[in-house]
Amino acid sequence: MAAVARLRSVVVDCPEPRELARFYAAVGGGMPEEEDPDWVVLQIPAGPRLAFQRAPGHNPPDWPRADRGSQQFHLDFDAGGTWEELDEAEQKVLALGARVLDREDDKRKDFRVYADPAGHPFCLCRIEQP
């Protein structure tokens, strides 16, 4: 099927675009373009272009409640192929300001769920390398 258009950015509403762009730059790499305090762009190397847009009165999703304030979207990050790499990545994102949303049965799942500083859910995933 022929595409109508090409995906340019994933845009994230948040109260402080610069702060959230810097958080995701520390998680996924890249350098935020901070020319406008209300719209900050981050190109993650070999990954998506994220844009952070100021949203006054922003209310973060209430993960995982689909009946009110559903998560809307989330980002998955490959944190390595071993549990040790996932544990190390977890310590780093927590130090950056993330908080744990779900660690239930985390050794049976290949991912862990966190909230970024603005409350959006994201996952660190353990991806076994071939």
Side-chain angles (χ1 to χ4, degrees):
M1 178 181 286
V4 173
R6 196 170 45 115
L7 178 66
R8 177 167 172 77
S9 304
V10 174
V11 180
V12 181
D13 286 354
C14 59
E16 296 295 333
R18 285 182 175 168
E19 289 178 21
L20 200 57
R22 289 176 187 154
F23 172 83
Y24 279 109
V27 173
M31 180 66 71
E33 299 170 16
E34 302 184 25
E35 295 174 15
D36 181 345
D38 294 328
W39 178 267
V40 179
V41 174
L42 171 65
Q43 176 63 58
I44 294 188
R49 179 180 188 258
L50 301 176
F52 303 90
Q53 171 177 267
R54 184 175 312 279
H58 169 72
N59 290 314
D62 187 11
W63 188 92
R65 303 257 336 233
D67 63 331
R68 56 165 219 232
S70 67
Q71 68 175 317
Q72 300 162 8
F73 78 94
H74 71 272
L75 302 173
D76 285 346
F77 289 90
D78 179 351
T82 67
W83 291 112
E84 292 78 18
E85 289 172 306
L86 187 58
D87 290 341
E88 184 177 326
E90 175 179 86
Q91 291 308 309
K92 289 179 180 178
V93 299
L94 294 176
L96 291 168
R99 63 183 166 81
V100 174
L101 287 179
D102 182 7
R103 288 290 304 270
E104 185 177 329
D105 297 328
D106 67 335
K107 292 297 182 187
R108 293 179 11 161
K109 297 186 259 182
D110 287 340
F111 62 92
R112 296 178 185 163
V113 185
Y114 307 87
D116 67 25
H120 303 101
F122 73 96
C123 296
L124 293 178
C125 304
R126 184 180 68 90
I127 309 296
E128 292 187 33
Q129 306 301 321

